[in-house]
Amino acid sequence: MYLDDRAVGRAAEAVGDTLIGQQCLQRSVQGQATLDRGAVAVGEVVEDKKYKKVQDVKEYVAPVPQKMSIATLIRFTLRSLFSTPKRLIFLTLMQMLVMIAFTLSYSWREGQIREINIQQSTRFPNVPETRLLVERRDGVDFDTDDIEYFENIRFVTKVYEHGLAFYNSLGLYIFTSDNIYDTGTYVYYNSNGAVNGTDASSTLSNLDIEGTLPVEADEIVIGHNWFNYNVGDEVYIGTAWSFTNPDLENDFVGKFTITGIDKAKANILYFSDAFLDNPDIEQYSIDGSAKNSLIEQVSFGMSFTYDSQYYNINKGIEIDNGISITFNAEQVGTPDLLEVKDVGFTGYFYNPNSYEGFELTITVPNVSIYKVGSDTPFYGSMSVDLHEYLENYVLSEYEHFYKVENRKVLSLSVKGINDGNKTIDAVDQETYRVIYPANIPNPASGILSFVMGLFTGIFILLFGLLLYSIVHAVSKNIMKSRKKDFAIFRSIGTNKVTLARLVVLEQVFIAAISTVLMFTVLLVLSNYVASIYEIIQFMEIMDYVILVIVFLLFGAWLGLRFNKKIFRQSVIESIVSSREE
């Protein structure tokens, strides 16, 4: 026992407890001396002294991590995002551009399907989707109260009182100097084809055109994918595909100067407000195509009977012999007068627009009949005066073929079909009749609409996956650079679940900010760029809700994928790999 005291004393001195060491050593010496004297009995307690109070050791209980509240987690997420503003701005702009691309493609699909389901009215071929026509059901002329009523409809951008000035019911054709041919006998005016519609230049902005907007009544804007119009070109506008020896003052709508080229190349003819506000609109307009068709049938489609023989008679060469017929007129020689008699001319006349047709016989008195050359006539040519007589008779008889009665209408300008349909819903249908010629249901669109929806749906899906892969690749590299940060969070005891929620919330917040910016940019652009509005005009509230949900889920998906990569390694492995990278 005394040897043990000596060992304890030396150990105590070794750890620095000198007092206890000295006492133990002293007891050891005294004990040894007693043993030497043999004075102490075995098992006798010499001294019982407590040198230090001993504390009871309690069992260790590991601390339970506290769950972070939603508010705290959101606050911590926002601090994490805005602590690195460059990274936040880069990721937000990148996702915003991707979202704009996807939204435009999505709305383009909606527009394609809707356009298949509608068709243009043949009764009003010149009314595009940006115009509606309105007439009163009681037939009374419009007054200032009517105009004010339509101006107060928020979807209507402008009201034109003289809607007839747009030539709603007739095809309009552009004639340039390149397509005018003078043969010496005839002058042919061939057009570049019919325009796709007429509209007001006030619906355009300077960003939509090259050049300037028209101001004067004889100025226009036009643009075509095939024909190269130039600013400063002078063109004629007519209601027929072609004219032969036209009366430039009466056969054409007018002569115009092109002041601007429509960048959309939609072949829409834009008149100035000075032209459209002209109150001197006649009750009837002349359909040049129908009128020219009648004149052509007179020139080359008439027949007559002479000496029991049936003959076709054409306008042929110019013959100035009064009201007369000349047989074999192209042969050289002086015409010989055969006789003067009443002749009946027969022709079949039809309207090329309505396909309405009639046979007509015109008896012309005192027709001089000549013959040139051969004793046997084989065809007859009518003189200029005879042609004029027959032409005037036919045009007077079939005036309803080419004379179009204009209906008193207002023209309402809207941005597109979506606003046009909303305008129809906003109008008092009991008082007014609204005509929307560009939005007529197409009964034959069923199978075509299904096929278009299927293929465009596949395209949108593939395009969306492509955009997702781009965002994922860029975001993945950025998240790699943060691997060390997440490892440090974990090393100091951050809960794994909390950290995973933080990553997902960051991506959702970035997606939310990008979505708000995307919608703001598209809204602003649609007010200034007509082509953007044309694409997104079919978007309804439900479409926007769907896109918002898709984009937010997209952000959450990115966060979940990043979590798999972040927590795949241990803390030490993450720190080591981040150093190597």
Side-chain angles (χ1 to χ4, degrees), residues 343-393:
V343 179
F345 297 90
T346 301
Y348 184 82
F349 302 93
Y350 66 94
N351 187 336
N353 297 324
S354 64
Y355 301 103
E356 178 187 9
F358 296 96
E359 186 176 71
L360 177 67
T361 297
I362 306 170
T363 300
V364 182
N366 301 321
V367 179
S368 300
I369 302 177
Y370 293 87
K371 183 184 71 170
V372 176
S374 174
D375 292 335
T376 303
F378 57 90
Y379 73 91
S381 294
M382 67 182 77
S383 67
V384 173
D385 291 343
L386 177 57
H387 180 271
E388 183 178 349
Y389 183 97
L390 294 175
E391 179 182 307
N392 290 336
Y393 189 97

Side-chain angles (χ1 to χ4, degrees), residues 54-322:
V54 179
Q55 294 181 349
D56 294 334
V57 178
K58 296 181 180 180
E59 183 180 356
Y60 173 76
V61 179
V64 178
Q66 297 294 323
K67 289 185 178 181
M68 188 178 294
S69 65
I70 297 297
T72 304
L73 186 60
I74 292 175
R75 186 167 60 251
F76 191 76
T77 301
L78 292 175
R79 285 180 180 177
S80 176
L81 285 175
F82 288 101
S83 64
T84 53
K86 292 183 179 179
R87 177 175 64 87
L88 175 61
I89 293 174
F90 174 77
L91 289 175
T92 301
L93 291 179
M94 178 190 65
Q95 291 197 24
M96 181 193 72
L97 294 176
V98 168
M99 289 175 181
I100 288 176
F102 184 80
T103 300
L104 291 178
S105 60
Y106 176 87
S107 56
W108 167 82
R109 175 180 183 269
E110 293 292 310
Q112 292 298 309
I113 294 175
R114 292 198 180 212
E115 287 185 4
I116 290 175
N117 292 325
I118 61 176
Q119 59 184 347
Q120 180 72 37
S121 167
T122 56
R123 175 68 178 82
F124 301 100
N126 284 340
V127 184
E129 63 183 34
T130 53
R131 289 201 297 117
L132 291 84
L133 305 179
V134 180
E135 58 186 10
R136 289 188 62 98
R137 293 188 181 274
D138 56 11
V140 177
D141 290 342
F142 293 102
D143 56 23
T144 55
D145 291 336
D146 294 316
I147 296 175
E148 183 178 356
Y149 170 79
F150 290 108
E151 288 177 341
N152 290 331
I153 297 177
R154 67 187 186 92
F155 305 108
V156 176
T157 58
K158 191 164 184 178
V159 178
Y160 286 91
E161 181 179 359
H162 308 293
L164 302 179
F166 286 93
Y167 285 84
N168 304 303
S169 303
L170 298 175
L172 292 184
Y173 301 82
I174 305 293
F175 297 82
T176 64
S177 58
D178 295 335
N179 291 329
I180 300 176
Y181 306 97
D182 189 349
T183 66
T185 303
Y186 303 108
V187 178
Y188 296 100
Y189 281 70
N190 290 335
S191 70
N192 291 343
V195 300
N196 293 338
T198 58
D199 211 341
S201 60
S202 60
T203 62
L204 300 173
S205 69
N206 290 323
L207 298 176
D208 299 322
I209 65 171
E210 297 175 0
T212 59
L213 294 172
V215 177
E216 302 298 331
D218 60 349
E219 296 177 342
I220 59 170
V221 167
I222 186 70
H224 200 288
N225 279 325
W226 300 342
F227 300 104
N228 293 322
Y229 296 112
N230 298 305
V231 173
D233 287 351
E234 292 186 339
V235 298
Y236 283 101
I237 297 177
T239 59
W241 181 277
S242 62
F243 290 93
T244 301
N245 290 331
D247 181 348
L248 299 182
E249 294 294 329
N250 298 316
D251 287 344
F252 289 109
V253 173
K255 187 177 183 180
F256 296 83
T257 300
I258 298 176
T259 63
I261 306 300
D262 178 22
K263 293 180 180 179
K265 306 292 184 182
N267 195 26
I268 300 293
L269 178 61
Y270 294 92
F271 290 111
S272 67
D273 281 359
F275 179 88
L276 297 174
D277 290 336
N278 178 19
D280 299 327
I281 303 299
E282 297 181 1
Q283 184 180 359
Y284 294 93
S285 295
I286 301 302
D287 184 347
S289 296
K291 182 179 179 181
N292 285 350
S293 178
L294 291 177
I295 295 173
E296 184 177 357
Q297 291 166 55
V298 169
S299 300
F300 305 103
M302 303 291 289
S303 62
F304 69 101
T305 300
Y306 182 71
D307 282 346
S308 301
Q309 294 292 321
Y310 176 84
Y311 294 96
N312 288 321
I313 184 169
N314 298 326
K315 186 176 180 181
I317 63 174
E318 298 292 331
I319 303 172
D320 190 14
N321 287 327

Side-chain angles (χ1 to χ4, degrees), residues 12-46:
E13 286 185 340
V15 298
D17 199 338
T18 307
L19 177 60
I20 295 176
Q22 289 178 352
Q23 290 175 345
C24 289
L25 289 176
Q26 185 177 2
R27 257 174 46 195
S28 175
V29 173
Q30 291 175 352
Q32 185 63 42
T34 304
L35 287 174
D36 290 342
R37 294 194 302 269
V40 180
V42 177
E44 182 181 356
V45 177
V46 178

Side-chain angles (χ1 to χ4, degrees), residues 269-567:
L269 178 61
Y270 294 92
F271 290 111
S272 67
D273 281 359
F275 179 88
L276 297 174
D277 290 336
N278 178 19
D280 299 327
I281 303 299
E282 297 181 1
Q283 184 180 359
Y284 294 93
S285 295
I286 301 302
D287 184 347
S289 296
K291 182 179 179 181
N292 285 350
S293 178
L294 291 177
I295 295 173
E296 184 177 357
Q297 291 166 55
V298 169
S299 300
F300 305 103
M302 303 291 289
S303 62
F304 69 101
T305 300
Y306 182 71
D307 282 346
S308 301
Q309 294 292 321
Y310 176 84
Y311 294 96
N312 288 321
I313 184 169
N314 298 326
K315 186 176 180 181
I317 63 174
E318 298 292 331
I319 303 172
D320 190 14
N321 287 327
I323 297 178
S324 62
I325 299 171
T326 301
F327 287 111
N328 308 332
E330 292 184 354
Q331 296 188 19
V332 178
T334 301
D336 296 326
L337 179 63
L338 297 180
E339 63 176 310
V340 178
K341 61 179 296 187
D342 296 347
V343 179
F345 297 90
T346 301
Y348 184 82
F349 302 93
Y350 66 94
N351 187 336
N353 297 324
S354 64
Y355 301 103
E356 178 187 9
F358 296 96
E359 186 176 71
L360 177 67
T361 297
I362 306 170
T363 300
V364 182
N366 301 321
V367 179
S368 300
I369 302 177
Y370 293 87
K371 183 184 71 170
V372 176
S374 174
D375 292 335
T376 303
F378 57 90
Y379 73 91
S381 294
M382 67 182 77
S383 67
V384 173
D385 291 343
L386 177 57
H387 180 271
E388 183 178 349
Y389 183 97
L390 294 175
E391 179 182 307
N392 290 336
Y393 189 97
V394 170
L395 292 179
S396 175
E397 187 73 14
Y398 294 108
E399 189 177 66
H400 63 282
F401 273 23
Y402 61 90
K403 202 169 185 180
V404 180
E405 182 178 4
N406 293 321
R407 300 162 64 172
K408 291 288 186 180
V409 294
L410 294 180
S411 180
L412 309 182
S413 293
V414 295
K415 286 187 175 182
I417 288 181
N418 194 36
D419 281 3
N421 290 331
K422 292 177 180 178
T423 299
I424 294 176
D425 295 337
V427 171
D428 178 9
Q429 299 293 331
E430 294 183 358
T431 305
Y432 305 99
R433 179 170 177 258
V434 183
I435 308 169
Y436 202 1
N439 194 21
I440 304 298
N442 183 4
S445 63
I447 185 65
L448 185 59
S449 177
F450 172 77
V451 173
M452 175 63 75
L454 178 62
F455 280 98
T456 54
I458 295 174
F459 167 77
I460 294 299
L461 178 61
L462 295 177
F463 187 61
L465 291 175
L466 173 63
L467 295 176
Y468 165 76
S469 62
I470 294 174
V471 174
H472 179 264
V474 176
S475 301
K476 181 175 67 175
N477 292 329
I478 293 178
M479 294 302 291
K480 277 185 178 180
S481 64
R482 301 187 64 201
K483 186 185 295 185
K484 184 178 179 181
D485 297 338
F486 293 122
I488 293 174
F489 284 143
R490 293 169 63 189
S491 67
I492 62 176
T494 303
N495 185 280
K496 183 177 179 179
V497 175
T498 301
L499 190 58
R501 291 176 179 174
L502 172 65
V503 174
V504 173
L505 269 180
E506 281 189 0
Q507 297 303 316
V508 171
F509 274 123
I510 292 175
I513 296 172
S514 301
T515 302
V516 172
L517 290 176
M518 180 268 295
F519 285 138
T520 303
V521 170
L522 287 180
L523 179 62
V524 172
L525 288 178
S526 65
N527 290 327
Y528 296 96
V529 183
S531 57
I532 298 294
Y533 176 81
E534 289 177 4
I535 295 176
I536 68 171
Q537 63 175 319
F538 298 105
M539 296 287 288
E540 302 290 346
I541 294 178
M542 184 54 63
D543 294 316
Y544 288 113
V545 171
I546 291 174
L547 287 176
V548 169
I549 294 174
V550 168
F551 293 146
L552 294 181
L553 290 177
F554 168 76
W557 189 18
L558 280 178
L560 293 174
R561 293 201 62 178
F562 293 147
N563 283 338
K564 290 183 179 180
K565 298 181 180 298
I566 293 170
F567 299 117

